Structures are given as structure tokens and as C-alpha cells.
Amino acid sequence: MAPVTENGPYDYDLIVIGGGSAGLACAKEAVACGARVVCLDYVKPTPLGTKWGVGGTCVNVGCIPKKLMHQASLLGEAVHEAAAYGWNVNEKIKPDWNKLVSSVQNHIKSVNWVTRVDLRDKKVEYINGLGSFLDPHTMTIKMKSGDRKITSQTFVIAVGGRPRYPDIPGAVEYGITSDDLFSLNREPGKTLVVGAGYIGLECAGFLKGLGYEPTVMVRSIVLRGFDQQMAGLVADSMEERGIPFLYQYVPLSVEKLSSGKLLVKYEHSQSGEVRSDTFDTVLWAIGRKGLVDDLNLANAGVHTFKDKIQVDSYEATNVPNIYAVGDIIYGKPELTPVAVLAGRLLARRLYGESTQRMDYTDVATTVFTPLEYACVGLSEEDAVKEFGADEIEVFHGYYKPTEFFIPQKSVRHCYLKAVAERHGEQRVYGLHYLGPVAGEVIQGFAAALKSGLTIKTLMNTVGIHPTTAEEFTRLNITKRSGLDPTPASCCS
């Protein structure tokens, strides 16, 4: 045990490992509750050399730059639509990639600065160093100034994850990930996006909107873990916009040609057919790996599972004084708002006499593809699996956003559905929406679903006209009925 000091037997009450959404929220809340806290944060550069400041994935290489580039893409689309509305638009308008990257990075750096100031103001000690366990109460920290040993009564692991690379020739040498894309110092050009999860589809979507040529390679299914009818519609809407999908293909190798282009060989997983094509950029979006390797968790006795940490309903690991929150924990939604709330609630339980636990069910999320997809609650597949097909009713409908009319944008894939209990109160188990500003639409409905929303309540809610969100209040056709879910009129 560490020698007893005027502050107790340990240097700190709490060491938080990770300066991302979960770690920062936990550290700040713990200090507010009176704890002595230090937050460790360290970013290993990518193979390309990309690194960033405090704030974690969301701020630096995730939600924030992704949404900004998605917005840039939408603005480009809006410029061309403006002509149909009577604006005089120069048809030669094109984006400046370097200016876009500079603007995005300037914003990120401003957030890094504000975050550091906030930590200072809230009296959270911050150490830019790589921590690893020596025992359940002791860590060693590698810093530029040398190694340092510190002790703590309690630890919270909030290190998150980083993108994976495939184990094929040339993957690391010539490919990039989302960790590199948002600060890439050249135009992406013709890009192969390997992976069809939400990160891959979002990146392919904004690259297309910015005028580049993305192709999406799909090993198995699109948007694994999401409602598969909606996932299919998302993919269809992207293909309609000119983004090709290579289904059932896996990459074999990446080779850099003398021209600077990248030659990618890939194989069909069923037929064995081998094909090849050249690209300017290869973007790996094949999943993320939890950052457990550098922590020496075995020294502390913490168990891991599939490069993640298993915790109980109190975010406690198998070691009594060590907890974990955020993307590093196994089997929970890897989303920033989840990490933030879980981190705060954990700190309040540890130091604020609270008993409230994180509720990981019915968490809303949005995929920022060109036509956005948002959902909350159960997918249709999961509802059927949990309750049985005979006990599920699905209300659905296509709709026509008013803003799509004049520029004659396609409405083929604007669709929504409510997955509900078939009998009784017809409680809503899940809501799914594909269309404009999906995140803004689903957020309010998420609160309603969390509060026990029923189909009757939904149908008796007066919609705001003309909006796309009101379409949820107009749902009256079920899949079981076999009736056409295409609307005849927007105003009746």
C-alpha cells in the first residue's frame, strides 16, 4: 500500500484513463462531488502519422468532423437545388478540399482548447501520458518528461477504441481510416470504402456529395445491428445517388503503382472470383478495436473479452475498485451521449451518494448518410425475435418531403415505420425513419418512446404541417394488411 499522506493512503481518489467523452464527463463530475481526480490521455499516431488533442474520438475524428463534412456535402447539394427555386447559381461550383479540411481542423482545435480550459477551471488534473497498471492501485505513466508512478483508490477505464486494419498486404502501408480522413492533406479522389457499417456509409456519402467517387465494399450485410429493411433502403438510396456497392467481396491486397494509384485486388466470398481496380484512396471502415493492449490489465487482474472489458450494471469490472465506461465496455452502444451519461452517473454513484444506474435500452441514434436514417428502440427483427411475429404489428408508410418537390428530388426511399405491440395498448417498441434531418426528427420521439408511447397516443398527436416528422402521426397502414403504404395526398 502507498504511504499515508495528508490526503490519504493514495495520491488520488480517482484516476480516469482516457480523455474522451466518457472519461472527461466522469472526471469532471467526480471533482464536482469532491473527489481528487486525475485524467490521463494519450493518442498514439496512426500509421500515416495523424494525431490529435484532448477530447477523444468524437471531437477529433468522429461525430464532430463527420457531421461537419456531411453538412458540407448537403450544402453542395442544396446549391444545385437552389437553381430550381429561382436562385442564379454558377454551375461550376465545386468544393475546395484543403479549405474544408482547414476549417474543420480549426474548429476541432478550438474545441481542444476549450476542453483544456474547462478541465483547468473545474480543477481536474490532466496528464498527457500513456498509463499502464502495475497492480490494482498503481499505474506507471509514460510521458515526454519521463516515467511517473501514481496510485489511486479507484480507477475508471475509458480508453475507447481505434479503427481496425485488415491483415492483408499493403493495408497499413497504403490505406487510411477515419482517423486520417478528416485531416487528409490531399483530395481523396476515387476512394474505395471497405466496410458497410455506419462509419463506412457516412464517409462514402459525404465523399460523393463533395464530388469524389466512392465505392463501398460489403463483406456481408449493410449496417449490421440495425433494422435490415431500413439498412437495405439506405443502401438503395445511396446507389440511386451513384455510389456503387460491391457485395460479398473482401480485399486481398493493396499495391502502390508507380503512378501513385493504389491497385486493390479483391475476391468474391462465394464464387471465389478475383477482381482488381485502381483507386486514389483506400479507406478501411471494418470495425473498431478496444484499446486494452497498453493497459497491462493482467497486472490489475481485470478480465477482457474480445478486446473489450465486461462490466456489470454498475460499470464495475471483476476487480472491485476498477470500473469501465464508454466504447471500451463490451456489448453496449458505442455512442458519445451514452458514454457521457454513463460517465456522469458512475461518478455520482462513487462520490455523490447517488444510486442511479445507466439505462442502455432504447437509445436513439442517426446514421448521417446522404438520406439520413434514425431509429430508437427495437428493430423489426429484434421485436419479432423477442415477442414473436404474431405479437408484432408494423405500421409503415412512404412519404414525400415538401422540400423535395420543386427540385424534383427522388422520394423513392423516404420511408418510416413504427414497430409495435399487436394487441392491447399497442406499445411502440421501435421507431425508424429514413429522410431529411433524421436526427432532429427522432430525438423528440425517443423521449416519447422512453415514456411508454403507444400507437393510440401517436395517432392522436396532431402533427406540425408540412413537416416530415408529422408522418409518424399519420401512420395508419400495417404491413399485415397488405395495403399500399404510398400516400395519395400530403394534406388529407
Side-chain angles (χ1 to χ4, degrees):
M1 180 177 288
V4 176
T5 68
E6 61 179 8
N7 290 321
Y10 301 105
D11 299 326
Y12 298 95
D13 298 315
L14 174 65
I15 293 177
V16 176
I17 313 159
S21 302
L24 293 177
C26 183
K28 289 187 285 188
E29 193 70 25
V31 167
C33 293
R36 295 170 295 135
V37 180
V38 63
C39 180
L40 309 183
D41 184 49
Y42 185 82
V43 178
K44 280 189 172 182
T46 70
L48 193 66
T50 309
K51 55 184 178 179
W52 50 88
V54 67
T57 295
C58 176
V59 166
N60 294 284
V61 289
C63 319
I64 300 305
K66 176 271 302 287
K67 182 69 181 294
L68 293 174
M69 288 199 167
H70 173 64
Q71 176 65 11
S73 172
L74 293 180
L75 287 172
E77 190 175 308
V79 167
H80 295 290
E81 291 171 18
Y85 280 98
W87 287 90
N88 293 317
V89 177
N90 183 347
E91 291 297 322
K92 295 182 180 179
I93 288 175
K94 58 177 291 189
D96 182 327
W97 173 262
N98 291 329
K99 185 174 182 180
L100 171 60
V101 166
S102 178
S103 298
V104 169
Q105 292 304 311
N106 285 342
H107 173 70
I108 290 171
K109 287 179 174 58
S110 72
V111 177
N112 296 151
W113 171 253
V114 168
T115 302
R116 290 292 298 270
V117 171
D118 189 44
L119 291 175
R120 184 191 65 197
D121 291 347
K122 288 183 167 59
K123 311 301 181 187
V124 177
E125 185 179 346
Y126 172 80
I127 298 177
N128 182 218
L130 184 62
S132 61
F133 282 96
L134 295 176
D135 61 49
H137 289 282
T138 312
M139 294 202 87
T140 182
I141 310 169
K142 292 183 179 180
M143 300 181 293
K144 290 181 179 179
S145 58
D147 291 357
R148 174 183 170 188
K149 187 186 295 184
I150 57 175
T151 62
S152 179
Q153 171 65 48
T154 305
F155 291 83
V156 170
I157 302 170
V159 293
R162 296 284 288 273
R164 295 180 183 275
Y165 289 81
D167 185 17
I168 61 171
V172 176
E173 296 89 339
Y174 306 123
I176 67 169
T177 69
S178 55
D179 281 356
D180 304 299
L181 180 61
F182 305 113
S183 57
L184 197 63
N185 61 5
R186 58 172 177 81
E187 289 188 297
K190 181 182 177 183
T191 302
L192 176 65
V193 178
V194 182
Y198 73 92
I199 294 173
L201 296 191
E202 289 176 337
C203 291
F206 71 66
L207 287 174
K208 178 64 177 180
L210 292 170
Y212 302 109
E213 300 176 59
T215 296
V216 179
M217 183 175 288
V218 188
R219 177 176 63 87
S220 54
I221 61 174
V222 173
L223 290 178
R224 182 181 299 279
F226 288 87
D227 185 286
Q228 282 302 290
Q229 180 197 8
M230 302 304 296
L233 288 170
V234 170
D236 290 345
S237 71
M238 293 179 69
E239 289 188 278
E240 185 182 51
R241 289 168 180 254
I243 301 174
F245 280 63
L246 295 171
Y247 286 99
Q248 308 300 315
Y249 278 96
V250 292
L252 297 176
S253 64
V254 182
E255 176 187 349
K256 192 166 188 177
L257 303 176
S258 59
S259 63
K261 300 281 187 180
L262 301 177
L263 175 66
V264 182
K265 292 182 180 178
Y266 48 96
E267 179 182 29
H268 195 276
S269 58
Q270 303 299 318
S271 69
E273 175 199 15
V274 176
R275 297 169 60 180
S276 65
D277 199 355
T278 57
F279 300 89
D280 298 301
T281 301
V282 176
L283 174 67
W284 307 118
I286 58 172
R288 297 176 67 81
K289 174 181 170 58
L291 293 177
V292 295
D293 292 345
D294 294 316
L295 295 174
N296 287 324
L297 292 173
N299 289 347
V302 176
H303 296 161
T304 61
F305 182 74
K306 295 183 177 180
D307 66 65
K308 294 293 182 75
I309 298 173
Q310 288 183 305
V311 297
D312 62 15
S313 62
Y314 291 89
E315 282 80 44
T317 71
N318 61 294
V319 178
N321 68 303
I322 301 177
Y323 299 79
V325 288
D327 290 2
I328 194 60
I329 64 176
Y330 178 77
K332 302 302 182 189
E334 296 184 15
L335 299 167
T336 293
V338 171
V340 169
L341 184 55
R344 285 177 182 158
L345 293 179
L346 173 57
R348 290 169 189 167
R349 291 197 305 275
L350 290 173
Y351 304 107
E353 299 183 357
S354 171
T355 59
Q356 184 181 354
R357 287 178 280 179
M358 179 66 191
D359 181 0
Y360 290 96
T361 62
D362 297 332
V363 174
T365 190
T366 296
V367 182
F368 289 98
T369 39
L371 192 62
E372 298 171 3
Y373 166 46
C375 59
V376 61
L378 296 179
S379 66
E380 186 174 343
E381 294 93 340
D382 286 345
V384 168
K385 183 178 180 180
E386 184 170 342
F387 301 106
D390 290 340
E391 299 302 318
I392 295 298
E393 197 77 88
V394 180
F395 295 79
H396 69 147
Y398 288 90
Y399 64 95
K400 300 174 181 178
T402 304
E403 55 268 40
F404 282 21
F405 291 160
I406 289 179
Q408 297 183 13
K409 292 181 65 174
S410 171
V411 298
R412 286 181 57 207
H413 303 104
C414 293
Y415 175 83
L416 73 169
K417 66 180 179 181
V419 181
E421 182 182 30
R422 185 179 179 188
H423 305 290
E425 292 294 315
Q426 291 195 296
R427 178 166 181 167
V428 176
Y429 296 132
L431 294 171
H432 301 265
Y433 168 97
L434 182 58
V437 292
E440 310 298 342
V441 168
I442 212 69
Q443 184 67 83
F445 287 107
L449 186 141
K450 199 79 172 172
S451 302
L453 178 67
T454 65
I455 289 295
K456 181 179 179 180
T457 300
L458 199 57
M459 296 306 100
N460 285 325
T461 298
V462 177
I464 301 171
H465 190 69
T467 66
T468 54
E470 77 168 320
E471 298 299 333
F472 274 118
T473 71
R474 291 157 54 91
L475 288 174
N476 58 71
I477 293 173
T478 67
K479 284 189 175 182
R480 196 182 303 275
S481 72
L483 297 175
D484 183 3
T486 305
S489 168
C490 69
C491 300
S492 64

